[in-house]
Short mmCIF file of all heavy atoms in Angstrom, two decimals:
data_model
loop_
_atom_site.label_atom_id
_atom_site.label_comp_id
_atom_site.label_asym_id
_atom_site.label_seq_id
_atom_site.Cartn_x
_atom_site.Cartn_y
_atom_site.Cartn_z
N ALA A 1 0.83 -1.21 0.00
CA ALA A 1 0.00 0.00 0.00
C ALA A 1 0.86 1.26 0.00
O ALA A 1 0.47 2.30 -0.57
CB ALA A 1 -0.93 0.00 1.21
N TRP A 2 2.03 1.19 0.63
CA TRP A 2 2.93 2.35 0.70
C TRP A 2 3.64 2.63 -0.63
O TRP A 2 3.97 3.78 -0.93
CB TRP A 2 4.01 2.12 1.76
CG TRP A 2 3.78 2.78 3.08
CD1 TRP A 2 3.63 2.18 4.30
CD2 TRP A 2 3.70 4.19 3.34
NE1 TRP A 2 3.47 3.10 5.29
CE2 TRP A 2 3.51 4.36 4.73
CE3 TRP A 2 3.77 5.32 2.54
CZ2 TRP A 2 3.39 5.61 5.33
CZ3 TRP A 2 3.64 6.57 3.13
CH2 TRP A 2 3.45 6.71 4.50
N LEU A 3 3.90 1.62 -1.42
CA LEU A 3 4.78 1.79 -2.57
C LEU A 3 4.30 2.85 -3.57
O LEU A 3 5.11 3.68 -4.01
CB LEU A 3 5.01 0.45 -3.26
CG LEU A 3 5.82 -0.56 -2.44
CD1 LEU A 3 5.96 -1.87 -3.21
CD2 LEU A 3 7.20 -0.01 -2.09
N PRO A 4 3.02 2.88 -3.99
CA PRO A 4 2.61 3.95 -4.91
C PRO A 4 2.67 5.33 -4.27
O PRO A 4 2.95 6.32 -4.95
CB PRO A 4 1.19 3.56 -5.31
CG PRO A 4 0.71 2.63 -4.26
CD PRO A 4 1.92 1.91 -3.77
N VAL A 5 2.41 5.42 -2.97
CA VAL A 5 2.53 6.70 -2.27
C VAL A 5 3.98 7.16 -2.29
O VAL A 5 4.28 8.33 -2.58
CB VAL A 5 2.03 6.57 -0.81
CG1 VAL A 5 2.27 7.87 -0.05
CG2 VAL A 5 0.56 6.20 -0.78
N ARG A 6 4.89 6.23 -2.03
CA ARG A 6 6.31 6.58 -2.05
C ARG A 6 6.72 7.08 -3.43
O ARG A 6 7.45 8.07 -3.55
CB ARG A 6 7.16 5.39 -1.64
CG ARG A 6 8.64 5.74 -1.54
CD ARG A 6 9.49 4.53 -1.20
NE ARG A 6 9.55 3.58 -2.30
CZ ARG A 6 10.28 2.47 -2.28
NH1 ARG A 6 11.00 2.17 -1.20
NH2 ARG A 6 10.29 1.64 -3.30
N ALA A 7 6.26 6.41 -4.46
CA ALA A 7 6.63 6.82 -5.81
C ALA A 7 6.15 8.24 -6.10
O ALA A 7 6.88 9.06 -6.69
CB ALA A 7 6.05 5.84 -6.83
N GLU A 8 4.92 8.56 -5.68
CA GLU A 8 4.38 9.91 -5.91
C GLU A 8 5.17 10.96 -5.13
O GLU A 8 5.52 12.02 -5.67
CB GLU A 8 2.91 9.96 -5.50
CG GLU A 8 2.29 11.34 -5.67
CD GLU A 8 0.87 11.41 -5.12
OE1 GLU A 8 0.43 10.47 -4.43
OE2 GLU A 8 0.20 12.44 -5.37
N LEU A 9 5.47 10.68 -3.87
CA LEU A 9 6.18 11.67 -3.06
C LEU A 9 7.62 11.85 -3.51
O LEU A 9 8.14 12.97 -3.47
CB LEU A 9 6.13 11.26 -1.58
CG LEU A 9 4.76 11.32 -0.91
CD1 LEU A 9 4.85 10.89 0.55
CD2 LEU A 9 4.15 12.71 -1.01
N ARG A 10 8.26 10.79 -3.96
CA ARG A 10 9.63 10.93 -4.46
C ARG A 10 9.66 11.80 -5.72
O ARG A 10 10.52 12.66 -5.87
CB ARG A 10 10.23 9.56 -4.74
CG ARG A 10 10.46 8.72 -3.51
CD ARG A 10 11.12 7.38 -3.84
NE ARG A 10 12.53 7.57 -4.18
CZ ARG A 10 13.35 6.55 -4.45
NH1 ARG A 10 12.89 5.31 -4.45
NH2 ARG A 10 14.61 6.79 -4.74
N ARG A 11 8.70 11.57 -6.61
CA ARG A 11 8.62 12.38 -7.83
C ARG A 11 8.37 13.84 -7.47
O ARG A 11 9.03 14.74 -7.99
CB ARG A 11 7.50 11.86 -8.73
CG ARG A 11 7.25 12.74 -9.97
CD ARG A 11 5.94 12.38 -10.64
NE ARG A 11 4.81 12.48 -9.74
CZ ARG A 11 4.25 13.63 -9.37
NH1 ARG A 11 4.74 14.79 -9.82
NH2 ARG A 11 3.21 13.64 -8.55
N TRP A 12 7.43 14.07 -6.54
CA TRP A 12 7.08 15.43 -6.15
C TRP A 12 8.27 16.14 -5.52
O TRP A 12 8.55 17.30 -5.81
CB TRP A 12 5.90 15.38 -5.19
CG TRP A 12 5.47 16.70 -4.65
CD1 TRP A 12 4.76 17.67 -5.29
CD2 TRP A 12 5.73 17.21 -3.33
NE1 TRP A 12 4.55 18.74 -4.45
CE2 TRP A 12 5.14 18.49 -3.26
CE3 TRP A 12 6.38 16.70 -2.21
CZ2 TRP A 12 5.20 19.26 -2.10
CZ3 TRP A 12 6.44 17.47 -1.06
CH2 TRP A 12 5.85 18.73 -1.02
N GLN A 13 9.02 15.44 -4.67
CA GLN A 13 10.16 16.07 -4.03
C GLN A 13 11.25 16.40 -5.05
O GLN A 13 11.85 17.48 -4.99
CB GLN A 13 10.72 15.14 -2.94
CG GLN A 13 11.73 15.81 -2.01
CD GLN A 13 13.11 15.99 -2.64
OE1 GLN A 13 13.56 15.13 -3.41
NE2 GLN A 13 13.78 17.10 -2.32
N ARG A 14 11.50 15.50 -5.99
CA ARG A 14 12.53 15.78 -6.99
C ARG A 14 12.15 16.98 -7.85
O ARG A 14 13.00 17.79 -8.21
CB ARG A 14 12.75 14.54 -7.86
CG ARG A 14 13.46 13.40 -7.15
CD ARG A 14 13.93 12.35 -8.13
NE ARG A 14 12.82 11.70 -8.83
CZ ARG A 14 12.23 10.57 -8.46
NH1 ARG A 14 12.65 9.95 -7.36
NH2 ARG A 14 11.25 10.06 -9.15
N GLU A 15 10.87 17.10 -8.16
CA GLU A 15 10.43 18.24 -8.98
C GLU A 15 10.49 19.54 -8.21
O GLU A 15 10.83 20.59 -8.76
CB GLU A 15 9.01 17.99 -9.49
CG GLU A 15 8.92 16.87 -10.53
CD GLU A 15 7.49 16.60 -10.96
OE1 GLU A 15 6.55 17.22 -10.39
OE2 GLU A 15 7.29 15.76 -11.87
N SER A 16 10.15 19.53 -6.93
CA SER A 16 10.15 20.76 -6.12
C SER A 16 11.55 21.14 -5.68
O SER A 16 11.87 22.33 -5.54
CB SER A 16 9.25 20.60 -4.89
OG SER A 16 9.84 19.71 -3.95
N GLY A 17 12.41 20.16 -5.43
CA GLY A 17 13.76 20.43 -4.96
C GLY A 17 13.83 20.89 -3.52
O GLY A 17 14.89 21.32 -3.05
N ILE A 18 12.73 20.81 -2.78
CA ILE A 18 12.69 21.29 -1.40
C ILE A 18 12.88 20.10 -0.46
O ILE A 18 12.26 19.05 -0.64
CB ILE A 18 11.34 21.97 -1.12
CG1 ILE A 18 11.16 23.17 -2.05
CG2 ILE A 18 11.24 22.41 0.33
CD1 ILE A 18 9.75 23.71 -2.06
N PRO A 19 13.76 20.22 0.55
CA PRO A 19 13.91 19.12 1.50
C PRO A 19 12.57 18.71 2.10
O PRO A 19 11.77 19.56 2.51
CB PRO A 19 14.83 19.72 2.57
CG PRO A 19 15.62 20.76 1.85
CD PRO A 19 14.68 21.35 0.84
N MET A 20 12.31 17.41 2.13
CA MET A 20 11.02 16.88 2.58
C MET A 20 11.20 16.14 3.90
O MET A 20 12.05 15.26 4.02
CB MET A 20 10.45 15.94 1.51
CG MET A 20 9.10 15.34 1.88
SD MET A 20 8.41 14.30 0.55
CE MET A 20 9.51 12.86 0.63
N LEU A 21 10.37 16.52 4.87
CA LEU A 21 10.33 15.86 6.17
C LEU A 21 8.98 15.19 6.35
O LEU A 21 7.97 15.63 5.79
CB LEU A 21 10.52 16.86 7.31
CG LEU A 21 11.58 17.94 7.19
CD1 LEU A 21 11.47 18.88 8.39
CD2 LEU A 21 12.96 17.32 7.12
N PHE A 22 8.95 14.15 7.17
CA PHE A 22 7.68 13.64 7.68
C PHE A 22 7.57 14.13 9.12
O PHE A 22 8.32 13.69 9.99
CB PHE A 22 7.63 12.12 7.62
CG PHE A 22 7.48 11.55 6.23
CD1 PHE A 22 7.88 10.26 5.95
CD2 PHE A 22 6.92 12.31 5.22
CE1 PHE A 22 7.73 9.73 4.68
CE2 PHE A 22 6.77 11.81 3.93
CZ PHE A 22 7.17 10.51 3.67
N THR A 23 6.67 15.06 9.36
CA THR A 23 6.54 15.67 10.68
C THR A 23 5.72 14.83 11.65
O THR A 23 5.82 15.02 12.86
CB THR A 23 5.90 17.06 10.56
OG1 THR A 23 4.81 17.00 9.63
CG2 THR A 23 6.91 18.08 10.07
N GLU A 24 4.93 13.90 11.13
CA GLU A 24 4.16 13.00 11.99
C GLU A 24 4.09 11.63 11.34
O GLU A 24 3.42 11.45 10.32
CB GLU A 24 2.74 13.52 12.23
CG GLU A 24 2.66 14.85 12.97
CD GLU A 24 1.22 15.30 13.21
OE1 GLU A 24 0.34 14.43 13.35
OE2 GLU A 24 0.98 16.52 13.22
N VAL A 25 4.79 10.67 11.92
CA VAL A 25 4.69 9.27 11.52
C VAL A 25 4.25 8.50 12.75
O VAL A 25 5.02 8.34 13.70
CB VAL A 25 6.03 8.71 11.01
CG1 VAL A 25 5.89 7.22 10.69
CG2 VAL A 25 6.52 9.47 9.79
N GLY A 26 2.99 8.08 12.78
CA GLY A 26 2.52 7.40 13.97
C GLY A 26 1.21 6.67 13.75
O GLY A 26 0.45 6.98 12.83
N TYR A 27 0.98 5.71 14.62
CA TYR A 27 -0.23 4.88 14.56
C TYR A 27 -0.69 4.62 15.98
O TYR A 27 0.11 4.22 16.84
CB TYR A 27 0.05 3.56 13.84
CG TYR A 27 0.54 3.77 12.42
CD1 TYR A 27 1.91 3.91 12.16
CD2 TYR A 27 -0.35 3.88 11.37
CE1 TYR A 27 2.36 4.14 10.88
CE2 TYR A 27 0.10 4.11 10.08
CZ TYR A 27 1.46 4.24 9.84
OH TYR A 27 1.90 4.48 8.56
N ALA A 28 -1.98 4.81 16.22
CA ALA A 28 -2.54 4.45 17.51
C ALA A 28 -2.53 2.94 17.67
O ALA A 28 -2.52 2.19 16.69
CB ALA A 28 -3.96 5.01 17.64
N SER A 29 -2.57 2.49 18.91
CA SER A 29 -2.54 1.05 19.20
C SER A 29 -3.96 0.51 19.24
O SER A 29 -4.46 0.05 20.27
CB SER A 29 -1.83 0.81 20.53
OG SER A 29 -0.54 1.35 20.52
N ILE A 30 -4.62 0.55 18.08
CA ILE A 30 -6.03 0.16 17.97
C ILE A 30 -6.17 -0.82 16.81
O ILE A 30 -5.61 -0.62 15.73
CB ILE A 30 -6.92 1.39 17.71
CG1 ILE A 30 -6.78 2.42 18.83
CG2 ILE A 30 -8.38 0.99 17.56
CD1 ILE A 30 -7.50 3.72 18.56
N ASP A 31 -6.94 -1.87 17.03
CA ASP A 31 -7.20 -2.83 15.97
C ASP A 31 -7.89 -2.13 14.80
O ASP A 31 -8.89 -1.44 14.98
CB ASP A 31 -8.10 -3.95 16.51
CG ASP A 31 -8.29 -5.06 15.50
OD1 ASP A 31 -7.33 -5.38 14.78
OD2 ASP A 31 -9.41 -5.60 15.43
N GLY A 32 -7.34 -2.28 13.60
CA GLY A 32 -7.90 -1.64 12.42
C GLY A 32 -7.32 -0.28 12.12
O GLY A 32 -7.78 0.40 11.20
N VAL A 33 -6.29 0.15 12.85
CA VAL A 33 -5.77 1.51 12.69
C VAL A 33 -5.21 1.75 11.29
O VAL A 33 -5.22 2.89 10.79
CB VAL A 33 -4.70 1.82 13.76
CG1 VAL A 33 -3.42 1.02 13.52
CG2 VAL A 33 -4.39 3.30 13.82
N ALA A 34 -4.75 0.72 10.62
CA ALA A 34 -4.19 0.91 9.28
C ALA A 34 -5.23 1.39 8.28
O ALA A 34 -4.88 1.96 7.24
CB ALA A 34 -3.56 -0.39 8.78
N MET A 35 -6.52 1.19 8.58
CA MET A 35 -7.57 1.65 7.66
C MET A 35 -7.81 3.15 7.78
O MET A 35 -8.26 3.79 6.84
CB MET A 35 -8.88 0.90 7.94
CG MET A 35 -8.80 -0.60 7.68
SD MET A 35 -10.41 -1.43 7.81
CE MET A 35 -10.72 -1.28 9.59
N HIS A 36 -7.52 3.71 8.96
CA HIS A 36 -7.77 5.14 9.21
C HIS A 36 -6.76 5.64 10.25
O HIS A 36 -7.12 5.90 11.40
CB HIS A 36 -9.21 5.35 9.71
CG HIS A 36 -9.70 4.24 10.59
ND1 HIS A 36 -9.19 4.00 11.85
CD2 HIS A 36 -10.63 3.28 10.37
CE1 HIS A 36 -9.81 2.96 12.40
NE2 HIS A 36 -10.68 2.49 11.51
N PRO A 37 -5.49 5.79 9.86
CA PRO A 37 -4.45 6.11 10.85
C PRO A 37 -4.64 7.43 11.57
O PRO A 37 -4.06 7.63 12.65
CB PRO A 37 -3.17 6.13 10.00
CG PRO A 37 -3.48 5.30 8.80
CD PRO A 37 -4.93 5.54 8.52
N TRP A 38 -5.40 8.36 11.01
CA TRP A 38 -5.60 9.67 11.63
C TRP A 38 -6.60 9.61 12.77
O TRP A 38 -6.67 10.54 13.58
CB TRP A 38 -6.09 10.66 10.57
CG TRP A 38 -7.40 10.24 9.97
CD1 TRP A 38 -8.66 10.54 10.44
CD2 TRP A 38 -7.60 9.42 8.83
NE1 TRP A 38 -9.61 9.95 9.66
CE2 TRP A 38 -8.99 9.26 8.66
CE3 TRP A 38 -6.73 8.80 7.92
CZ2 TRP A 38 -9.53 8.50 7.61
CZ3 TRP A 38 -7.27 8.05 6.89
CH2 TRP A 38 -8.65 7.91 6.74
N ASP A 39 -7.40 8.56 12.86
CA ASP A 39 -8.55 8.54 13.78
C ASP A 39 -8.19 7.81 15.07
O ASP A 39 -8.39 6.60 15.20
CB ASP A 39 -9.75 7.88 13.10
CG ASP A 39 -11.03 8.02 13.95
OD1 ASP A 39 -10.96 8.67 15.03
OD2 ASP A 39 -12.07 7.50 13.52
N TYR A 40 -7.66 8.56 16.03
CA TYR A 40 -7.30 7.96 17.31
C TYR A 40 -8.51 7.74 18.20
O TYR A 40 -8.39 7.15 19.28
CB TYR A 40 -6.27 8.84 18.03
CG TYR A 40 -6.75 10.26 18.28
CD1 TYR A 40 -7.43 10.60 19.44
CD2 TYR A 40 -6.53 11.26 17.33
CE1 TYR A 40 -7.88 11.89 19.67
CE2 TYR A 40 -6.97 12.56 17.55
CZ TYR A 40 -7.64 12.86 18.71
OH TYR A 40 -8.09 14.14 18.92
N THR A 41 -9.70 8.18 17.77
CA THR A 41 -10.93 7.98 18.55
C THR A 41 -11.71 6.76 18.07
O THR A 41 -12.79 6.48 18.59
CB THR A 41 -11.84 9.21 18.45
OG1 THR A 41 -12.31 9.35 17.09
CG2 THR A 41 -11.10 10.47 18.85
N ALA A 42 -11.20 6.04 17.09
CA ALA A 42 -11.94 4.93 16.49
C ALA A 42 -12.20 3.82 17.51
O ALA A 42 -11.43 3.61 18.45
CB ALA A 42 -11.16 4.36 15.31
N GLU A 43 -13.30 3.10 17.29
CA GLU A 43 -13.60 1.94 18.10
C GLU A 43 -12.62 0.83 17.74
O GLU A 43 -12.10 0.75 16.64
CB GLU A 43 -15.03 1.46 17.85
CG GLU A 43 -16.09 2.49 18.23
CD GLU A 43 -16.16 2.72 19.72
OE1 GLU A 43 -15.84 1.77 20.48
OE2 GLU A 43 -16.52 3.83 20.14
N GLY A 44 -12.39 -0.06 18.69
CA GLY A 44 -11.50 -1.18 18.42
C GLY A 44 -10.72 -1.54 19.66
O GLY A 44 -10.47 -0.69 20.53
#
């Protein structure tokens, strides 16, 4: 699932030439979090 996202972001960074950071890489400890990583209030 990550691979096409990586390809898009690598292309975008090369075209922009601007250093790219990931300011938030995280996952809540909830069953099913990979379906909606932003939702820390999800049931599970």
